[in-house]
Amino acid sequence: MVRIAVKTMLIVLLTSISAQAQVAVDAIDLAQVKVYNSPLDVASWPVTTAITQLNIRPTGDPLEGVSLTFSAQQTWPDTVTGFTGLQYTVWAVWYAAGQWSTSGIIQMWRGRPDTGASILSGFAKYWIYDSRWGPGWGHQPVIGEQMGFFVTAGDARGVAEGNSVRERSNVVMVSVPANDTGSFSFPSLATAGVLGDADGDGKAELAVFRPSSGTWYVRASSTNYVSSTSTQWGQSGDVPVIADFDGDRRADLTVFRPSTGEWFSRLSSLGYSATNYWHVQWGLPGDIPVAGDFDGDKASDLAVFRPSTGEWFVRLSSLGFSAANYWYFQWGLPGDIPIVGDFDHDGRTDLAVFRPSTGEWFARLSVLGYSTTNFWHVQWGWPGDIPVAGDFDRDGVTDLTVFRPSTGEWFARLSSLGFSATYAWHVQWGLQGDVPVVADFDGDGATDLTVFRPRTGEWFIRYSSMGFAATNYGWYQWGLFGDLSPIR
């Protein structure tokens, strides 16, 4: 996530440390989706398996259409009612005619490798080709459009009740890829974890840090942001940091003291104890704290970026945060902004900076050993734009995104579309002076489109699980003038 500092009030984002989707949950609320030609109560069926891989391939490919990987492919029986001999049904979720719709469409027998019928060239013709599929029948998705997929046991096409095994997978959402060619990975239920989540429900909390008193104010997502707590930790001048140093996949309560280069952290694994807190000296006055996972062990590393020289200093969690074996990098120029993101999908933080004077991005990719000769350089943004390191397309890779505070516009080159500038995502969401927020408030593993309004303390959230709909946005009043955001 990007580090954003403003002189007025900002936000605390208790979000995940990496850009990867962390929890195998529904990417859209099925209870809000119209069901056609299939069991109407599918939203209530228990989720007993997780989709871990989804591939989309073009017409003529050996795996034409959609192919899915999920654990129940080995355990679900062949159907005993409906179309005998079928093992499961592939459902699609699409937006057309002003609503989200879903249906169990493609019937899959055991061992069938793919659905056939590609998305870009065949969805309207072969998937939803008549009025059985509601007012949006015949809709043809386009490149970059959000679509959902899931599977249910047995035969769900054209039946009212389903089968004796009424189970389903979670719903995953993807952006329709160019050329009908894309691969998307998702975590399994067995390995899914929650990183940077204070109450353990897989959603970002709504919180602010008040530097005048060193107090954190948090509204818990587990209570639908109704209940709140306040915790004193820090002093005037401290910088709030969101990190998971103990690797328990919950956010630790951490501040960095820029006047001395000290870190103070109340670890979640110790119940946020104020007596057994973690205190480390790492940094010099003026350094910027960076809470990334550079070694890929699912715990935050202790890192600082020195904006005066463009140097990085990293104590790795996998080495016990050793000060003797720290990493050192020279990457950046004075004025650059350090970015925490995973642009190459290897589960490790890349070494990246955004140059606000030119709108350029420079990244040394971890998958290439942080090479200085094969680094990634992209022009995306104007002077004054704010870099945003979120995962809007839910593919586990950080998207290339900027927010234009002068106009409230978002410009994103989605990783699922190969970071294409041609198919860039442009959204108007915010007013002049608003601040972009990088967080997952609905727990679907994707970044929501969120702005915070410093002058009024208001939050405006377009949820990814609702297709970023501008009509069903979330609104909250939380914070006072002068509050600060954490460094992410």
Side-chain angles (χ1 to χ4, degrees), residues 201-411:
D201 70 342
K203 300 177 184 179
E205 319 303 339
L206 199 66
V208 292
F209 175 74
R210 195 153 295 158
S212 59
S213 61
T215 305
W216 301 65
Y217 296 89
V218 182
R219 287 171 66 169
S221 55
S222 58
T223 65
N224 201 26
Y225 302 103
V226 173
S227 67
S228 63
T229 59
S230 63
T231 305
Q232 202 289 320
W233 189 245
Q235 65 183 37
S236 181
D238 286 353
V239 177
V241 181
I242 296 306
D244 176 20
F245 293 111
D246 50 13
D248 68 348
R249 303 193 177 188
R250 301 182 75 173
D252 301 317
L253 206 62
T254 306
V255 294
F256 175 75
R257 194 154 293 162
S259 60
T260 61
E262 293 175 283
W263 300 68
F264 301 86
S265 183
R266 290 166 66 169
L267 302 178
S268 54
S269 59
L270 297 178
Y272 298 103
S273 170
T275 56
N276 294 318
Y277 66 89
W278 195 46
H279 172 220
V280 183
Q281 168 68 53
W282 190 245
L284 297 179
D287 285 354
I288 297 175
V290 181
D293 180 13
F294 295 92
D295 50 12
D297 67 347
K298 307 304 180 186
S300 299
D301 300 314
L302 202 65
V304 293
F305 174 76
R306 194 154 293 160
S308 60
T309 60
E311 294 174 288
W312 300 66
F313 302 85
V314 184
R315 289 166 68 167
L316 301 175
S317 54
S318 59
L319 297 178
F321 301 101
S322 169
N325 298 310
Y326 69 90
W327 277 7
Y328 164 81
F329 299 97
Q330 168 67 54
W331 192 245
L333 298 178
D336 285 353
I337 299 174
I339 305 294
V340 169
D342 178 12
F343 297 100
D344 51 19
H345 201 191
D346 69 345
R348 294 181 293 169
T349 300
D350 300 313
L351 207 64
V353 295
F354 175 77
R355 194 154 293 160
S357 60
T358 61
E360 293 175 283
W361 300 66
F362 301 86
R364 290 166 62 173
L365 302 178
S366 51
V367 75
L368 297 177
Y370 298 104
S371 169
T372 57
T373 56
N374 294 315
F375 67 88
W376 197 44
H377 172 219
V378 183
Q379 169 68 53
W380 190 244
W382 289 355
D385 285 353
I386 297 174
V388 181
D391 177 17
F392 296 97
D393 50 10
R394 200 182 291 101
D395 65 347
V397 182
T398 305
D399 301 313
L400 206 63
T401 308
V402 294
F403 175 76
R404 194 154 294 159
S406 60
T407 61
E409 293 175 284
W410 299 67
F411 301 87

Side-chain angles (χ1 to χ4, degrees), residues 10-331:
L10 290 185
I11 59 287
V12 173
L13 310 180
L14 302 184
T15 56
S16 67
I17 300 305
S18 75
Q20 299 184 33
Q22 297 298 329
V23 185
V25 297
D26 286 335
I28 189 169
D29 183 1
L30 280 181
Q32 305 298 318
V33 178
K34 293 286 188 180
V35 180
Y36 294 97
N37 201 44
S38 294
L40 299 180
D41 63 347
V42 67
S44 66
W45 291 16
V47 176
T48 61
T49 188
I51 295 172
T52 56
Q53 183 73 28
L54 184 150
N55 299 311
I56 297 176
R57 295 293 183 265
T59 301
D61 189 275
L63 294 177
E64 177 180 338
V66 176
S67 59
L68 299 149
T69 302
F70 57 98
S71 60
Q73 281 171 311
Q74 310 302 319
T75 59
W76 277 348
D78 293 342
T79 184
V80 296
T81 61
F83 197 139
T84 301
L86 296 177
Q87 188 195 18
Y88 67 95
T89 304
V90 176
W91 293 59
V93 184
W94 67 96
Y95 187 84
Q99 66 178 41
W100 283 98
S101 303
T102 189
S103 180
I105 304 173
I106 306 297
Q107 299 156 309
M108 306 289 287
W109 56 85
R110 188 178 300 275
R112 181 179 178 180
D114 57 76
T115 62
S118 58
I119 301 300
L120 281 177
S121 59
F123 191 75
K125 185 177 180 180
Y126 299 112
W127 290 64
I128 54 170
Y129 50 82
D130 65 32
S131 60
R132 285 177 291 175
W133 288 283
W137 76 271
H139 171 70
Q140 179 54 59
V142 298
I143 295 171
E145 184 173 326
Q146 291 281 301
M147 288 190 68
F149 295 93
F150 65 103
V151 294
T152 56
D155 184 14
R157 180 184 172 113
V159 299
E161 298 298 331
N163 311 279
S164 58
V165 180
R166 290 163 59 85
E167 299 177 4
R168 67 177 178 90
S169 73
N170 60 310
V171 184
V172 297
M173 296 285 285
V174 301
S175 296
V176 177
N179 303 315
D180 260 329
T181 304
S183 295
F184 306 88
S185 298
F186 308 92
S188 68
L189 286 171
T191 60
V194 179
L195 293 173
D197 173 27
D199 55 17
D201 70 342
K203 300 177 184 179
E205 319 303 339
L206 199 66
V208 292
F209 175 74
R210 195 153 295 158
S212 59
S213 61
T215 305
W216 301 65
Y217 296 89
V218 182
R219 287 171 66 169
S221 55
S222 58
T223 65
N224 201 26
Y225 302 103
V226 173
S227 67
S228 63
T229 59
S230 63
T231 305
Q232 202 289 320
W233 189 245
Q235 65 183 37
S236 181
D238 286 353
V239 177
V241 181
I242 296 306
D244 176 20
F245 293 111
D246 50 13
D248 68 348
R249 303 193 177 188
R250 301 182 75 173
D252 301 317
L253 206 62
T254 306
V255 294
F256 175 75
R257 194 154 293 162
S259 60
T260 61
E262 293 175 283
W263 300 68
F264 301 86
S265 183
R266 290 166 66 169
L267 302 178
S268 54
S269 59
L270 297 178
Y272 298 103
S273 170
T275 56
N276 294 318
Y277 66 89
W278 195 46
H279 172 220
V280 183
Q281 168 68 53
W282 190 245
L284 297 179
D287 285 354
I288 297 175
V290 181
D293 180 13
F294 295 92
D295 50 12
D297 67 347
K298 307 304 180 186
S300 299
D301 300 314
L302 202 65
V304 293
F305 174 76
R306 194 154 293 160
S308 60
T309 60
E311 294 174 288
W312 300 66
F313 302 85
V314 184
R315 289 166 68 167
L316 301 175
S317 54
S318 59
L319 297 178
F321 301 101
S322 169
N325 298 310
Y326 69 90
W327 277 7
Y328 164 81
F329 299 97
Q330 168 67 54
W331 192 245

Side-chain angles (χ1 to χ4, degrees), residues 6-11 208 435 452 454 457 478-484:
V6 297
K7 295 181 180 179
T8 58
M9 174 182 180
L10 290 185
I11 59 287
V208 292
V435 177
F452 172 74
W478 190 244
L480 298 177
F481 182 82
D483 291 350
L484 296 176

